[in-house]
Amino acid sequence: MVEIELDGQKVEVAEGCMVMHAAEKAGTYIPHFCYHKKLSIAANCRMCLVEVEKAPKPLPACATPVTQGMVVRTKSDKAIKAQQSVMEFLLINHPLDCPICDQGGECQLQDLAVGYGGSASRYTEEKRVVFHKDVGPLISMEEMSRCIHCTRCVRFGQEIAGVMELGMIHRGEHSEITTVAGDTVDSELSGNMIDLCPVGALTSKPFRYSARTWELSRRKSVSPHDSTGANLIVQVKNHRVMRVLPLENEAVNECWIADRDRFSYEALNSTDRLIQPMLKQGGVWTEVSWQTALEYVANGLKGIREQHGAQAIGALVSPHSTVEEAFLAGQLVRGLGSDNVDHRLRHADFTRPDGIRWLGMPVAALSQLQSVLVLGSNLRKDHPLFALRIRQAVRHGARVSRIHNQDQDWAMSVAHDLVVPAGEWLASLSAVAAAVAQERQVQAPQQAQGVAATESATAMARALLAGERKAILLGNAAAHHPQATQLLALAEWIASQTGASVGYLTESANTVGAQWAKAMPMAQGLNAGQMLNGALKAVLLLQVEPQFDSAAGAQAVQALASAEMVVTLSPFKTNMDCSDVLLPIAPFTETSGTFVNAEGRVQGFHAVVRPLGETRPAWKVLRVLGNMLGVSGFDQESSQDVLAAVAGGQVPAFVPPELLSNGVRSVPSLPFSTEPCVAAIYQLDGLVRRSTSLQLTADGRAAQGALA
């Protein structure tokens, strides 16, 4: 540790730290633009000049290492004059268009100009002009004359996103940030560049000129998409969601969010929203009252139970639904005497798990891994923020191995790569197990006996045997694989021999929570595959669009159309070909609820806007249906009451560890039957599918082309 004096205060920091770090520890603010705690040091802007005793001239606090006994003054006349001079230079060419700038009110340059800028400029020459660039549907670069060349966006692409899509060309006053070749910015994390930009050069294209920052209310929420559980700030104006930004949480998403977390809000205001209950009568859809719709559903369920028995009734629950919604859907079906409820819509192997499948480690620990084997995941697109953390680990020397059926660019160095058809994953993982057994001189597991250890399998085995912090991670395609349980059993054996942890990346915002809420057959109920094949007379679809959300796809729609009654609970007008009733339920911004992320973290959120039209929270709709059907246990007054019922009393911060398990009780000898079903990055759920801007991206267009 090194002790320095900063503005008369003794500060102790680690050797190698910069003066800026010491100032942060002391709670002293030093003005800056290019410095960011998550990015490398560039020392471009020079705004953080401070006086260091015995130094002949002011030094940049972000790039000056501390030394024992150093004396630093951040508020001296010398430091202030230096900072004021830098501000004067920055404003020479900066267009003073603050009244019409869409960054006005949250612009760092504007804020610091008040304290360090002059009341008049000594420069009367014409300001430089930088022509705008079109880099895609998400980021606006219409006002690049405002750029102050802090290079935060460039460093973010290189160091965090892993793709250098922006760079600086030319020198001096001719310098400009550009894609060089005129390409679009296609990173799945690109929206973070907007947050990093300290001026109005990079702005959100969907949000641009729609509101002023001081008009917006800021409310906390949680992402409803992948299993990271990213913390959000949802900004609202006139009961309408206008923008979504990251809420910093070092343990979960740090200060970043993926583009689908940021821009999917467009769907909330789309014309596709369902705002009134609807009934299909004579093939024609008619808007009706809630009372009429719920009575129709309750009477229909009673009639089907009397005529066909309770086993003819079932519920398919989206893993993007909240814990409360998934729990009440299961309770409703079980209260009617059926066990037909499931959230595993894209699965092919429905073997009963030992416990709740989860990540097997804290999210933050992904950044500290030294070796990781990823099986069946397009990590970068399926879990952008998990990929970001593993990318950090790779920058510090971690070795990544992967087995997948496609050669994909993860924007990181992959040490060992095995691209084989999904039908050969079990054989490939068996080869890795055989290599581990060979390296450790132990008997291979039964599945790997007689399997030859290939060169690539041996390399992967040696990578897992080296180091201390290591993991085997099973992706969405591995979870949905027809031989998922066999793959997990092999992964468990390899982990036990190498000292690695094993876990599922888990697909959706509430995959872990749906398991906790028991939204799956607990006894002899039908699984999702059976229900989607037309085995039911009455089906409840909770935020499920079978054509897009299930492994059966279009065939599921045809099978469900043969049922006597299909009830869709959705925020959108969907499933109109196979449904008889549409009930408008609230998306995550219009209801309270809970998501449980991949590590088992329980995160609650509240409504940030009032429900649109006659929309109602799904947990309330299910509770009322339970009352109308005479099912016991449907007397909750709030979503917190429902959550307490799930938890059995006090709600924990994490799912109890005794419930979490990636162990395997029995291994079925299921043959490989079909390719695993995996959703593209902007096809994962109903919100991203209806976000216009996301669908216009390169990833969005590619997915639409594949679906066509």
Side-chain angles (χ1 to χ4, degrees), residues 445-639:
Q446 184 176 358
Q447 290 169 289
Q449 289 178 8
V451 176
T454 62
E455 184 179 343
S456 58
T458 302
M460 291 181 182
R462 288 173 178 168
L464 282 173
L465 286 164
E468 297 177 358
R469 300 182 299 277
K470 42 209 172 181
I472 301 172
L473 300 176
L474 305 178
N476 296 350
H480 302 161
H481 198 280
Q483 298 168 317
T485 306
Q486 294 164 287
L487 291 170
L488 176 59
L490 267 178
E492 281 284 344
W493 187 88
I494 296 170
S496 69
Q497 295 296 320
T498 60
S501 66
V502 62
Y504 280 103
L505 293 166
T506 70
E507 179 183 31
S508 306
N510 206 36
T511 299
V512 174
Q515 297 174 77
W516 188 34
K518 296 183 173 59
M520 57 201 303
M522 305 306 293
Q524 301 299 318
L526 300 178
N527 60 49
Q530 294 166 326
M531 287 189 273
L532 288 163
N533 280 334
L536 300 174
K537 297 297 182 182
V539 188
L540 297 176
L541 299 176
L542 179 55
Q543 295 201 55
V544 172
E545 298 178 87
Q547 182 175 354
F548 305 108
D549 294 332
S550 74
Q555 294 178 351
V557 178
Q558 296 173 5
L560 290 172
S562 65
E564 292 184 19
M565 185 172 73
V566 176
V567 181
T568 291
L569 295 87
S570 174
F572 304 103
K573 296 175 183 176
T574 185
N575 302 340
M576 301 186 85
D577 292 338
C578 63
S579 296
D580 300 288
V581 189
L582 298 181
L583 301 179
I585 60 168
F588 79 108
T589 52
E590 298 170 22
T591 184
S592 58
T594 307
F595 290 136
V596 182
N597 74 350
E599 66 179 345
R601 184 183 295 267
V602 179
Q603 299 189 108
F605 57 91
H606 298 285
V608 299
V609 292
R610 65 189 178 199
L612 187 64
E614 291 297 310
T615 298
R616 297 290 181 268
W619 72 266
K620 286 187 177 181
V621 175
L622 292 166
R623 188 205 62 194
V624 172
L625 270 176
N627 295 150
M628 297 175 73
L629 289 164
V631 179
S632 61
F634 279 72
D635 53 359
Q636 298 89 354
E637 294 294 326
S638 67
S639 61

Side-chain angles (χ1 to χ4, degrees), residues 217-228:
S217 301
R218 293 160 176 78
R219 291 154 191 178
K220 297 178 182 178
S221 193
V222 179
S223 168
H225 305 302
D226 64 36
S227 59
T228 308

Side-chain angles (χ1 to χ4, degrees), residues 367-403:
S367 305
Q368 308 301 321
L369 289 173
Q370 295 173 321
S371 179
V372 57
L373 169 60
V374 182
L375 171 65
S377 174
N378 183 359
L379 184 65
R380 177 181 169 189
K381 301 299 182 182
D382 293 346
H383 300 89
L385 296 178
F386 289 170
L388 181 154
R389 286 190 178 272
I390 293 176
R391 194 173 294 121
Q392 291 175 5
V394 170
R395 286 173 60 83
H396 290 94
R399 287 190 292 174
V400 175
S401 305
R402 71 177 174 190
I403 300 173

Side-chain angles (χ1 to χ4, degrees), residues 140-181:
S140 172
M141 296 180 72
E142 291 289 323
E143 307 290 348
M144 290 307 294
S145 297
R146 298 171 184 165
C147 179
I148 61 171
H149 307 138
C150 69
T151 69
R152 279 185 177 183
C153 56
V154 177
R155 284 175 285 148
F156 173 83
Q158 285 178 296
E159 300 162 17
I160 307 298
V163 185
M164 186 178 172
E165 295 180 295
L166 294 178
M168 184 182 289
I169 59 173
H170 307 313
R171 301 188 66 182
E173 71 170 5
H174 302 293
S175 299
E176 60 180 282
I177 300 292
T178 178
T179 57
V180 182

Side-chain angles (χ1 to χ4, degrees), residues 38 192 221-223 228-233 245-258 261 363-364 385-386 388-389 392 597 599 601 603:
K38 295 290 183 181
N192 292 291
S221 193
V222 179
S223 168
T228 308
N231 291 198
L232 310 176
I233 292 289
L245 300 175
L247 173 62
E248 186 170 350
N249 186 336
E250 281 297 314
V252 181
N253 57 298
E254 300 177 88
C255 55
W256 318 116
I257 54 174
D261 301 326
V363 168
L385 296 178
F386 289 170
L388 181 154
R389 286 190 178 272
Q392 291 175 5
N597 74 350
E599 66 179 345
R601 184 183 295 267
Q603 299 189 108

Side-chain angles (χ1 to χ4, degrees), residues 7 34 54 84 90 172 184 253 266 270 274 285 290 298 338 351 404 422 429 444 456 461 529 584 627 675:
D7 292 339
C34 69
K54 297 181 181 177
Q84 289 174 338
L90 286 174
T184 55
N253 57 298
E266 286 184 302
S270 74
L274 177 66
W285 285 99
W290 269 106
S338 172
T351 304
H404 202 32
L429 199 59
S456 58
N627 295 150
E675 288 291 317

